[in-house]
Amino acid sequence: MSATQKRLRSIPHIATMAGTTERTIRNYISKGYFPVYKQQGVRGVLIDLDEFESAMSRLPARKARAGYGGYGPNAKVVTLPGQPVRAEVVHRDGEGR
């Protein structure tokens, strides 16, 4: 699957969608629950919505809780080739831009 076919979203978007905090999503990343995608020359990481939903459905509810630290040794960060992909930004009021 190419980067253009992935449904890439920012950490704030995923956190809002999941009804949790950005810190919780970062903890999931550090535990390696799902990979994140980073583009050269672009700050921040993106998460594939399908991979996130799949990972959360596999975890028991008590496991899907915040862990410790930042991006840890189990984090899966994938560098995307080519041009930056524009991720939709969702604001606290639920409106995207």
Side-chain angles (χ1 to χ4, degrees):
M1 183 180 280
S2 73
T4 57
Q5 293 174 329
K6 291 186 177 292
R7 297 184 331 161
L8 299 175
R9 301 293 186 266
S10 65
I11 290 175
H13 177 95
I14 295 290
T16 300
M17 181 203 73
T20 189
T21 65
E22 292 179 35
R23 182 73 254 162
T24 297
I25 300 303
R26 292 178 191 281
N27 287 331
Y28 293 164
I29 294 167
S30 73
K31 290 181 174 283
Y33 290 166
F34 47 84
V36 294
Y37 298 88
K38 178 162 179 47
Q39 295 179 317
Q40 294 177 354
V42 178
R43 223 175 141 176
V45 294
L46 300 171
I47 300 166
D48 181 8
L49 191 54
D50 295 325
E51 291 173 351
F52 173 79
E53 290 171 346
S54 175
M56 293 299 100
S57 70
R58 290 190 308 266
L59 291 175
R62 68 172 205 256
K63 281 278 196 185
R65 295 180 55 178
Y68 299 84
Y71 299 133
N74 294 329
K76 301 171 192 150
V77 179
V78 180
T79 300
L80 296 172
Q83 296 295 320
V85 175
R86 181 175 166 88
E88 179 181 349
V89 176
V90 175
H91 299 278
R92 298 230 180 252
D93 61 8
E95 295 294 321
R97 289 188 196 171

Coordinates of all heavy atoms in Angstrom, one line a residue:
M1 N 0.8 -1.2 0.0 CA 0.0 0.0 0.0 C 0.9 1.2 0.0 O 1.8 1.3 0.8 CB -0.9 0.0 1.2 CG -1.8 1.1 1.3 SD -2.9 1.0 2.8 CE -4.1 -0.1 2.3
S2 N 0.6 2.2 -0.9 CA 1.5 3.4 -0.9 C 1.0 4.4 0.1 O -0.1 4.3 0.7 CB 1.4 4.0 -2.3 OG 0.1 4.6 -2.5
A3 N 1.8 5.4 0.3 CA 1.5 6.5 1.3 C 0.2 7.2 1.0 O -0.6 7.6 1.8 CB 2.6 7.5 1.4
T4 N -0.1 7.3 -0.3 CA -1.3 8.0 -0.7 C -2.6 7.2 -0.4 O -3.7 7.7 -0.3 CB -1.3 8.4 -2.2 OG1 -1.1 7.2 -3.0 CG2 -0.2 9.4 -2.5
Q5 N -2.5 5.9 -0.3 CA -3.6 5.0 0.0 C -3.9 4.9 1.5 O -4.9 4.5 1.9 CB -3.4 3.6 -0.6 CG -3.4 3.7 -2.1 CD -3.0 2.3 -2.7 OE1 -2.3 1.6 -2.1 NE2 -3.6 2.0 -3.9
K6 N -2.9 5.2 2.3 CA -3.0 5.2 3.7 C -3.9 6.3 4.2 O -3.9 7.4 3.7 CB -1.7 5.2 4.4 CG -0.9 3.9 4.2 CD 0.4 4.0 5.0 CE 1.2 2.7 4.8 NZ 0.5 1.5 5.4
R7 N -4.7 6.1 5.2 CA -5.5 7.1 5.8 C -4.7 7.7 7.0 O -4.9 7.4 8.2 CB -6.8 6.6 6.3 CG -7.6 6.1 5.2 CD -9.0 5.6 5.5 NE -9.1 5.1 6.9 CZ -10.3 5.0 7.5 NH1 -11.4 5.3 6.9 NH2 -10.4 4.5 8.7
L8 N -3.7 8.6 6.7 CA -2.8 9.1 7.7 C -3.4 10.3 8.4 O -4.0 11.2 7.8 CB -1.5 9.6 7.0 CG -0.7 8.4 6.3 CD1 0.5 9.0 5.6 CD2 -0.3 7.4 7.3
R9 N -3.3 10.2 9.7 CA -3.9 11.3 10.6 C -2.8 11.7 11.6 O -2.0 10.9 12.0 CB -5.1 10.8 11.3 CG -6.2 10.3 10.4 CD -6.8 11.5 9.6 NE -8.0 11.1 8.9 CZ -8.0 10.7 7.6 NH1 -6.8 10.7 7.0 NH2 -9.1 10.4 7.0
S10 N -3.0 12.9 12.2 CA -2.0 13.4 13.2 C -2.4 12.8 14.6 O -3.5 12.2 14.8 CB -2.2 14.9 13.3 OG -3.5 15.2 13.7
I11 N -1.5 12.9 15.5 CA -1.7 12.4 16.8 C -2.9 13.1 17.5 O -3.8 12.4 18.1 CB -0.4 12.5 17.7 CG1 0.6 11.4 17.2 CG2 -0.8 12.2 19.2 CD1 1.9 11.5 17.9
P12 N -3.0 14.4 17.4 CA -4.2 15.1 17.9 C -5.5 14.6 17.3 O -6.5 14.4 18.0 CB -4.0 16.6 17.6 CG -2.5 16.7 17.5 CD -2.1 15.4 16.9
H13 N -5.5 14.3 16.0 CA -6.7 13.8 15.4 C -7.1 12.4 16.0 O -8.3 12.1 16.3 CB -6.5 13.7 13.9 CG -7.7 13.1 13.2 ND1 -8.7 13.8 12.6 CD2 -8.1 11.8 12.9 CE1 -9.6 13.0 12.0 NE2 -9.2 11.8 12.3
I14 N -6.1 11.5 16.1 CA -6.4 10.2 16.6 C -6.9 10.2 18.0 O -7.8 9.5 18.4 CB -5.1 9.3 16.5 CG1 -4.7 9.1 15.0 CG2 -5.3 8.0 17.2 CD1 -5.6 8.2 14.2
A15 N -6.2 11.1 18.8 CA -6.6 11.2 20.2 C -8.1 11.7 20.3 O -8.9 11.2 21.1 CB -5.7 12.2 21.0
T16 N -8.4 12.7 19.5 CA -9.8 13.2 19.6 C -10.8 12.1 19.1 O -11.8 11.9 19.8 CB -9.9 14.4 18.6 OG1 -9.0 15.5 19.1 CG2 -11.4 15.0 18.6
M17 N -10.5 11.4 18.1 CA -11.3 10.4 17.6 C -11.5 9.3 18.6 O -12.6 8.7 18.8 CB -10.7 9.8 16.3 CG -11.6 8.7 15.6 SD -10.6 7.6 14.6 CE -9.6 6.7 15.8
A18 N -10.4 8.9 19.3 CA -10.5 7.8 20.3 C -11.0 8.3 21.7 O -11.2 7.4 22.5 CB -9.0 7.2 20.4
G19 N -11.2 9.6 21.8 CA -11.7 10.1 23.1 C -10.6 9.9 24.2 O -11.0 9.7 25.4
T20 N -9.4 10.1 23.9 CA -8.3 10.0 24.8 C -7.4 11.2 24.7 O -7.6 12.1 23.9 CB -7.6 8.7 24.7 OG1 -6.7 8.5 25.8 CG2 -6.9 8.6 23.4
T21 N -6.2 11.2 25.3 CA -5.3 12.3 25.2 C -4.2 12.0 24.2 O -3.9 10.8 23.9 CB -4.6 12.6 26.6 OG1 -3.8 11.4 27.0 CG2 -5.7 12.9 27.7
E22 N -3.5 13.0 23.8 CA -2.3 12.8 22.9 C -1.2 12.0 23.6 O -0.6 11.2 23.0 CB -1.8 14.2 22.5 CG -2.7 15.0 21.6 CD -2.2 16.3 21.2 OE1 -0.9 16.5 21.0 OE2 -3.0 17.2 21.0
R23 N -1.1 12.3 24.9 CA -0.1 11.5 25.7 C -0.3 10.0 25.7 O 0.6 9.2 25.6 CB -0.1 12.0 27.2 CG 0.9 11.4 28.1 CD 2.3 11.9 27.8 NE 3.1 10.9 27.1 CZ 4.2 11.0 26.4 NH1 4.7 12.2 26.2 NH2 4.8 10.0 25.8
T24 N -1.6 9.6 25.8 CA -2.0 8.2 25.7 C -1.6 7.6 24.4 O -1.0 6.6 24.3 CB -3.5 8.0 26.0 OG1 -3.8 8.5 27.3 CG2 -3.9 6.6 25.8
I25 N -1.9 8.4 23.3 CA -1.5 7.9 21.9 C 0.0 7.7 21.8 O 0.5 6.8 21.3 CB -2.1 8.8 20.8 CG1 -3.6 8.9 20.9 CG2 -1.6 8.4 19.5 CD1 -4.3 7.6 20.8
R26 N 0.8 8.7 22.4 CA 2.2 8.6 22.3 C 2.7 7.4 23.2 O 3.7 6.8 22.8 CB 2.8 9.9 22.9 CG 2.6 11.1 21.9 CD 3.2 12.4 22.5 NE 2.7 13.5 21.7 CZ 3.3 13.9 20.5 NH1 4.2 13.2 20.0 NH2 2.8 14.9 19.9
N27 N 2.0 7.1 24.2 CA 2.4 5.9 25.0 C 2.1 4.7 24.2 O 2.9 3.7 24.3 CB 1.6 5.9 26.3 CG 2.1 6.9 27.3 OD1 3.3 7.3 27.3 ND2 1.2 7.4 28.2
Y28 N 1.0 4.6 23.5 CA 0.8 3.4 22.7 C 1.9 3.3 21.6 O 2.3 2.2 21.3 CB -0.6 3.6 21.9 CG -1.8 3.5 22.8 CD1 -3.0 4.0 22.3 CD2 -1.8 3.1 24.1 CE1 -4.2 4.0 23.1 CE2 -2.9 3.1 24.9 CZ -4.1 3.5 24.4 OH -5.3 3.5 25.1
I29 N 2.3 4.4 21.0 CA 3.4 4.4 20.1 C 4.7 3.8 20.7 O 5.3 2.9 20.1 CB 3.6 5.7 19.5 CG1 2.4 6.2 18.6 CG2 4.9 5.8 18.6 CD1 2.4 7.7 18.3
S30 N 5.0 4.3 21.9 CA 6.2 3.8 22.6 C 6.2 2.4 22.9 O 7.2 1.7 23.0 CB 6.4 4.7 23.9 OG 5.5 4.3 24.9
K31 N 5.0 1.8 23.1 CA 4.8 0.4 23.4 C 4.8 -0.4 22.1 O 4.8 -1.7 22.1 CB 3.6 0.1 24.2 CG 3.6 0.6 25.6 CD 2.4 0.3 26.3 CE 2.5 0.7 27.8 NZ 3.3 -0.2 28.6
G32 N 4.8 0.2 20.9 CA 4.9 -0.5 19.7 C 3.5 -1.1 19.2 O 3.5 -2.0 18.4
Y33 N 2.4 -0.5 19.7 CA 1.1 -1.1 19.4 C 0.8 -0.9 17.9 O 0.0 -1.7 17.3 CB 0.0 -0.4 20.2 CG 0.0 -0.8 21.7 CD1 -0.7 -0.1 22.6 CD2 0.7 -1.9 22.1 CE1 -0.8 -0.4 23.9 CE2 0.7 -2.2 23.5 CZ 0.0 -1.4 24.4 OH -0.1 -1.8 25.7
F34 N 1.3 0.1 17.3 CA 1.1 0.4 15.8 C 2.2 1.3 15.3 O 2.8 2.0 16.1 CB -0.3 1.0 15.6 CG -0.6 2.2 16.5 CD1 -0.1 3.5 16.2 CD2 -1.3 2.0 17.6 CE1 -0.3 4.5 17.0 CE2 -1.5 3.1 18.5 CZ -1.1 4.3 18.2
P35 N 2.6 1.2 14.0 CA 3.6 2.0 13.5 C 3.2 3.5 13.3 O 2.0 3.8 13.2 CB 4.0 1.4 12.2 CG 2.7 0.7 11.8 CD 2.0 0.3 13.0
V36 N 4.2 4.4 13.3 CA 3.9 5.8 12.9 C 4.7 6.1 11.7 O 5.7 5.4 11.4 CB 4.2 6.8 14.0 CG1 3.3 6.6 15.2 CG2 5.6 6.7 14.5
Y37 N 4.3 7.1 10.9 CA 5.0 7.4 9.7 C 5.6 8.8 9.8 O 4.9 9.8 10.3 CB 4.0 7.3 8.5 CG 3.5 5.9 8.3 CD1 2.4 5.5 9.0 CD2 4.2 5.0 7.5 CE1 2.0 4.2 8.9 CE2 3.8 3.7 7.4 CZ 2.7 3.3 8.1 OH 2.2 2.0 8.0
K38 N 6.8 9.0 9.4 CA 7.5 10.3 9.5 C 8.0 10.6 8.1 O 8.5 9.7 7.4 CB 8.7 10.2 10.5 CG 9.5 11.5 10.5 CD 10.3 11.5 11.8 CE 11.1 12.8 11.8 NZ 10.4 14.0 11.6
Q39 N 7.9 11.8 7.7 CA 8.4 12.3 6.4 C 9.6 13.1 6.6 O 9.7 13.9 7.6 CB 7.3 13.1 5.7 CG 6.2 12.2 5.3 CD 5.1 13.0 4.6 OE1 4.8 14.1 5.0 NE2 4.6 12.4 3.6
Q40 N 10.6 13.0 5.7 CA 11.8 13.7 5.8 C 11.5 15.2 5.7 O 10.8 15.6 4.8 CB 12.8 13.3 4.8 CG 13.3 11.9 5.0 CD 14.3 11.4 3.9 OE1 14.5 12.1 2.9 NE2 14.8 10.2 4.1
G41 N 12.1 16.0 6.6 CA 11.9 17.5 6.5 C 10.6 18.0 7.1 O 10.3 19.1 7.0
V42 N 9.8 17.1 7.6 CA 8.5 17.4 8.2 C 8.5 17.0 9.7 O 8.9 15.9 10.0 CB 7.3 16.8 7.5 CG1 6.0 17.1 8.1 CG2 7.3 17.1 6.0
R43 N 8.1 18.0 10.5 CA 8.1 17.7 11.9 C 6.8 16.9 12.3 O 5.8 17.1 11.8 CB 8.0 19.0 12.7 CG 8.9 19.1 13.8 CD 8.9 20.5 14.4 NE 8.9 20.3 15.8 CZ 9.0 21.3 16.7 NH1 9.0 22.5 16.3 NH2 9.1 21.0 17.9
G44 N 7.0 16.0 13.3 CA 5.9 15.2 13.7 C 5.7 13.9 13.0 O 6.4 13.6 12.0
V45 N 4.8 13.1 13.5 CA 4.5 11.8 12.9 C 3.0 11.7 12.5 O 2.2 12.4 13.1 CB 4.9 10.6 13.8 CG1 6.4 10.6 14.0 CG2 4.2 10.7 15.1
L46 N 2.7 10.7 11.7 CA 1.3 10.5 11.3 C 1.0 9.0 11.6 O 1.9 8.2 11.6 CB 1.1 10.8 9.8 CG 1.4 12.2 9.4 CD1 1.4 12.3 7.8 CD2 0.4 13.1 10.0
I47 N -0.2 8.7 11.8 CA -0.7 7.4 12.1 C -1.7 7.0 11.1 O -2.6 7.7 10.7 CB -1.3 7.3 13.5 CG1 -0.3 7.8 14.6 CG2 -1.9 6.0 13.8 CD1 -0.9 8.1 15.9
D48 N -1.6 5.7 10.6 CA -2.6 5.2 9.7 C -3.8 4.8 10.5 O -3.7 4.0 11.4 CB -2.0 4.0 8.9 CG -3.0 3.4 7.9 OD1 -4.1 4.0 7.7 OD2 -2.7 2.3 7.4
L49 N -4.9 5.4 10.1 CA -6.2 5.2 10.9 C -6.6 3.7 10.9 O -7.0 3.2 11.9 CB -7.3 6.0 10.3 CG -8.6 6.1 11.0 CD1 -8.4 6.6 12.5 CD2 -9.5 7.1 10.3
D50 N -6.4 3.0 9.8 CA -6.7 1.6 9.8 C -5.9 0.8 10.7 O -6.3 -0.1 11.4 CB -6.6 1.0 8.3 CG -7.7 1.7 7.4 OD1 -8.8 2.0 7.8 OD2 -7.3 1.9 6.2
E51 N -4.6 1.0 10.7 CA -3.6 0.3 11.6 C -3.9 0.6 13.1 O -3.9 -0.3 13.9 CB -2.2 0.7 11.3 CG -1.7 0.2 9.9 CD -0.4 0.6 9.5 OE1 0.2 1.5 10.2 OE2 0.1 0.1 8.5
F52 N -4.3 1.9 13.4 CA -4.7 2.2 14.7 C -5.9 1.4 15.2 O -5.9 0.8 16.2 CB -4.9 3.7 14.8 CG -5.4 4.1 16.2 CD1 -4.6 4.2 17.3 CD2 -6.8 4.4 16.4 CE1 -5.1 4.6 18.5 CE2 -7.3 4.8 17.6 CZ -6.4 4.9 18.7
E53 N -6.9 1.5 14.4 CA -8.2 0.8 14.7 C -8.0 -0.7 14.9 O -8.5 -1.3 15.8 CB -9.3 1.1 13.7 CG -9.7 2.5 13.7 CD -10.7 2.9 12.6 OE1 -10.7 2.1 11.6 OE2 -11.3 3.9 12.7
S54 N -7.2 -1.3 14.0 CA -6.8 -2.7 14.1 C -6.1 -3.1 15.4 O -6.4 -4.0 16.1 CB -6.0 -3.1 12.9 OG -5.6 -4.5 13.0
A55 N -5.1 -2.2 15.7 CA -4.3 -2.4 17.0 C -5.2 -2.3 18.2 O -5.1 -3.1 19.1 CB -3.2 -1.4 17.0
M56 N -6.1 -1.4 18.2 CA -7.0 -1.2 19.4 C -8.0 -2.3 19.5 O -8.3 -2.7 20.6 CB -7.7 0.2 19.3 CG -6.8 1.4 19.4 SD -5.8 1.5 21.0 CE -4.2 0.8 20.5
S57 N -8.4 -2.9 18.4 CA -9.4 -4.0 18.5 C -8.7 -5.3 19.0 O -9.4 -6.1 19.5 CB -10.0 -4.2 17.1 OG -9.1 -4.7 16.2
R58 N -7.4 -5.4 18.8 CA -6.7 -6.6 19.3 C -6.3 -6.5 20.8 O -6.0 -7.5 21.4 CB -5.4 -6.8 18.5 CG -5.6 -7.2 17.0 CD -4.3 -7.6 16.4 NE -3.3 -6.6 16.5 CZ -3.0 -5.6 15.7 NH1 -3.7 -5.5 14.6 NH2 -2.0 -4.8 15.9
L59 N -6.3 -5.3 21.3 CA -5.9 -5.2 22.7 C -7.1 -5.3 23.7 O -8.1 -4.8 23.4 CB -5.3 -3.8 22.9 CG -4.0 -3.5 22.3 CD1 -3.6 -2.0 22.5 CD2 -2.9 -4.3 22.8
P60 N -6.8 -6.1 24.8 CA -7.9 -6.1 25.8 C -8.0 -4.7 26.4 O -7.1 -3.9 26.4 CB -7.3 -7.0 26.9 CG -6.1 -7.6 26.3 CD -5.7 -6.9 25.1
A61 N -9.2 -4.3 26.8 CA -9.5 -2.9 27.3 C -8.5 -2.5 28.4 O -8.0 -1.4 28.4 CB -10.9 -2.8 27.8
R62 N -8.1 -3.4 29.3 CA -7.2 -3.0 30.3 C -5.7 -2.8 29.8 O -4.9 -2.1 30.5 CB -7.2 -4.0 31.5 CG -6.6 -5.3 31.1 CD -6.5 -6.2 32.4 NE -5.4 -7.2 32.2 CZ -5.7 -8.4 31.9 NH1 -6.9 -8.9 31.9 NH2 -4.7 -9.3 31.7
K63 N -5.4 -3.4 28.7 CA -4.0 -3.2 28.1 C -4.0 -1.9 27.3 O -2.9 -1.3 27.2 CB -3.7 -4.3 27.1 CG -3.3 -5.6 27.8 CD -1.8 -5.4 28.1 CE -1.3 -6.8 28.4 NZ 0.1 -6.7 28.8
A64 N -5.1 -1.4 26.8 CA -5.1 -0.2 26.0 C -5.1 1.0 27.0 O -6.0 1.8 27.0 CB -6.3 -0.2 25.1
R65 N -4.1 1.1 27.8 CA -3.9 2.2 28.7 C -2.6 2.9 28.6 O -1.7 2.3 28.0 CB -4.1 1.7 30.2 CG -5.5 1.2 30.4 CD -5.6 0.7 31.8 NE -5.3 1.7 32.7 CZ -5.3 1.6 34.0 NH1 -5.8 0.5 34.6 NH2 -5.0 2.6 34.8
A66 N -2.4 4.0 29.1 CA -1.2 4.8 28.9 C 0.0 4.0 29.6 O -0.2 3.4 30.6 CB -1.3 6.2 29.5
G67 N 1.1 4.2 28.9 CA 2.4 3.6 29.5 C 3.3 4.6 30.0 O 2.8 5.6 30.5
Y68 N 4.6 4.4 29.9 CA 5.6 5.3 30.4 C 6.5 5.8 29.3 O 6.8 5.1 28.4 CB 6.4 4.7 31.5 CG 5.6 4.2 32.7 CD1 4.9 3.0 32.6 CD2 5.4 5.0 33.8 CE1 4.1 2.6 33.7 CE2 4.6 4.6 34.8 CZ 4.0 3.4 34.8 OH 3.2 3.0 35.8
G69 N 7.0 7.1 29.4 CA 8.0 7.6 28.5 C 7.5 8.0 27.2 O 6.3 7.9 26.9
G70 N 8.5 8.5 26.3 CA 8.2 9.0 25.0 C 8.2 7.8 24.0 O 7.9 6.7 24.4
Y71 N 8.7 8.1 22.8 CA 8.8 7.0 21.8 C 9.9 6.1 22.3 O 11.1 6.5 22.3 CB 9.2 7.6 20.4 CG 8.1 8.6 19.9 CD1 8.5 9.8 19.4 CD2 6.8 8.2 19.9 CE1 7.6 10.6 18.8 CE2 5.8 9.1 19.4 CZ 6.2 10.3 18.9 OH 5.3 11.1 18.3
G72 N 9.5 4.9 22.7 CA 10.4 4.0 23.3 C 11.1 3.0 22.3 O 10.9 3.2 21.1
P73 N 11.9 2.1 22.8 CA 12.6 1.2 21.9 C 11.7 0.3 21.1 O 12.1 -0.3 20.1 CB 13.4 0.3 22.9 CG 12.8 0.5 24.2 CD 12.1 1.8 24.2
N74 N 10.4 0.1 21.5 CA 9.5 -0.7 20.7 C 8.7 0.0 19.7 O 7.9 -0.5 18.9 CB 8.5 -1.4 21.7 CG 9.2 -2.4 22.6 OD1 10.2 -3.0 22.2 ND2 8.7 -2.5 23.8
A75 N 8.9 1.4 19.7 CA 8.1 2.2 18.7 C 8.5 1.9 17.3 O 9.7 1.6 17.0 CB 8.4 3.7 19.0
K76 N 7.6 1.9 16.4 CA 7.8 1.6 15.0 C 7.6 2.9 14.2 O 6.5 3.3 13.9 CB 6.9 0.5 14.5 CG 7.0 -0.8 15.2 CD 5.9 -1.7 14.8 CE 5.8 -2.9 15.8 NZ 4.5 -3.4 16.0
V77 N 8.7 3.5 13.8 CA 8.6 4.8 13.0 C 9.1 4.5 11.6 O 10.2 4.0 11.4 CB 9.5 5.8 13.6 CG1 9.5 7.1 12.8 CG2 9.1 6.1 15.1
V78 N 8.2 4.7 10.6 CA 8.5 4.4 9.2 C 8.7 5.8 8.5 O 7.8 6.6 8.5 CB 7.3 3.6 8.6 CG1 7.6 3.3 7.1 CG2 7.1 2.4 9.4
T79 N 9.8 5.9 7.8 CA 10.0 7.1 7.0 C 9.4 7.0 5.6 O 9.6 6.0 4.9 CB 11.5 7.4 6.8 OG1 12.1 7.6 8.1 CG2 11.8 8.7 6.0
L80 N 8.5 8.0 5.3 CA 7.8 7.9 4.0 C 8.7 8.6 2.9 O 9.2 9.7 3.2 CB 6.5 8.6 4.1 CG 5.5 8.0 5.1 CD1 4.3 9.0 5.2 CD2 5.0 6.7 4.6
P81 N 8.8 8.0 1.8 CA 9.5 8.6 0.7 C 8.6 9.7 0.0 O 7.4 9.7 0.1 CB 9.7 7.4 -0.3 CG 8.6 6.5 -0.1 CD 8.2 6.7 1.4
G82 N 9.3 10.6 -0.7 CA 8.6 11.6 -1.6 C 8.1 12.8 -0.8 O 8.6 13.1 0.2
Q83 N 7.1 13.4 -1.4 CA 6.5 14.6 -1.0 C 5.7 14.4 0.3 O 5.1 13.4 0.5 CB 5.6 15.2 -2.0 CG 6.4 15.6 -3.3 CD 7.3 16.7 -3.0 OE1 7.1 17.7 -2.3 NE2 8.5 16.7 -3.6
P84 N 5.6 15.5 1.1 CA 4.8 15.4 2.4 C 3.4 15.1 2.0 O 2.8 15.6 1.1 CB 5.0 16.7 3.0 CG 6.3 17.3 2.4 CD 6.4 16.7 1.1
V85 N 2.7 14.4 2.9 CA 1.3 14.1 2.8 C 0.6 15.0 3.7 O 1.0 15.2 4.9 CB 1.0 12.6 3.2 CG1 -0.5 12.4 3.2 CG2 1.7 11.7 2.3
R86 N -0.4 15.7 3.3 CA -1.2 16.6 4.1 C -2.1 15.8 5.0 O -3.0 15.1 4.5 CB -1.9 17.6 3.3 CG -2.7 18.6 4.1 CD -3.3 19.7 3.2 NE -4.3 20.5 3.9 CZ -4.0 21.6 4.5 NH1 -2.8 22.0 4.6 NH2 -5.0 22.2 5.1
A87 N -1.9 15.9 6.3 CA -2.8 15.3 7.2 C -3.9 16.2 7.7 O -3.7 17.4 7.8 CB -2.0 14.8 8.4
E88 N -5.1 15.7 7.8 CA -6.2 16.6 8.2 C -6.0 16.9 9.7 O -5.7 16.1 10.5 CB -7.5 15.8 8.1 CG -8.7 16.6 8.5 CD -10.0 15.8 8.4 OE1 -10.0 14.8 7.7 OE2 -11.0 16.3 8.9
V89 N -6.3 18.2 10.0 CA -6.2 18.6 11.4 C -7.6 18.8 12.0 O -8.4 19.4 11.4 CB -5.4 20.0 11.5 CG1 -5.4 20.5 12.9 CG2 -4.0 19.9 10.9
V90 N -7.8 18.1 13.1 CA -9.1 18.2 13.7 C -9.0 19.0 15.0 O -8.1 18.8 15.8 CB -9.7 16.8 14.1 CG1 -11.0 16.9 14.8 CG2 -9.9 16.0 12.8
H91 N -9.8 20.1 15.1 CA -9.7 21.0 16.3 C -10.6 20.4 17.3 O -11.5 19.6 17.1 CB -10.1 22.4 15.8 CG -9.1 22.9 14.8 ND1 -7.9 23.4 15.1 CD2 -9.2 22.9 13.5 CE1 -7.3 23.8 14.0 NE2 -8.0 23.5 13.0
R92 N -10.4 20.9 18.5 CA -11.2 20.5 19.7 C -12.7 20.6 19.5 O -13.5 19.9 20.1 CB -10.8 21.2 20.9 CG -9.4 21.0 21.3 CD -9.3 20.6 22.7 NE -7.9 20.4 23.0 CZ -7.4 19.2 23.3 NH1 -8.2 18.1 23.2 NH2 -6.1 19.0 23.6
D93 N -13.2 21.6 18.6 CA -14.6 21.7 18.3 C -15.1 20.7 17.3 O -16.3 20.7 17.0 CB -14.9 23.1 17.9 CG -14.2 23.5 16.5 OD1 -13.6 22.6 15.9 OD2 -14.3 24.6 16.1
G94 N -14.2 19.8 16.9 CA -14.6 18.7 16.0 C -14.6 19.1 14.5 O -14.8 18.3 13.6
E95 N -14.2 20.3 14.2 CA -14.2 20.8 12.8 C -12.8 20.6 12.2 O -11.8 20.9 12.8 CB -14.6 22.3 12.7 CG -16.0 22.6 13.2 CD -17.0 22.0 12.3 OE1 -16.8 22.0 11.0 OE2 -18.0 21.5 12.8
G96 N -12.8 20.0 11.0 CA -11.5 19.8 10.3 C -11.2 20.9 9.4 O -12.1 21.7 9.0
R97 N -9.9 21.1 9.0 CA -9.6 22.2 8.0 C -8.7 21.6 7.0 O -7.9 20.7 7.2 CB -8.9 23.3 8.7 CG -9.8 24.1 9.6 CD -9.1 25.3 10.1 NE -9.9 25.9 11.2 CZ -9.5 26.8 11.9 NH1 -8.3 27.4 11.8 NH2 -10.2 27.2 12.9

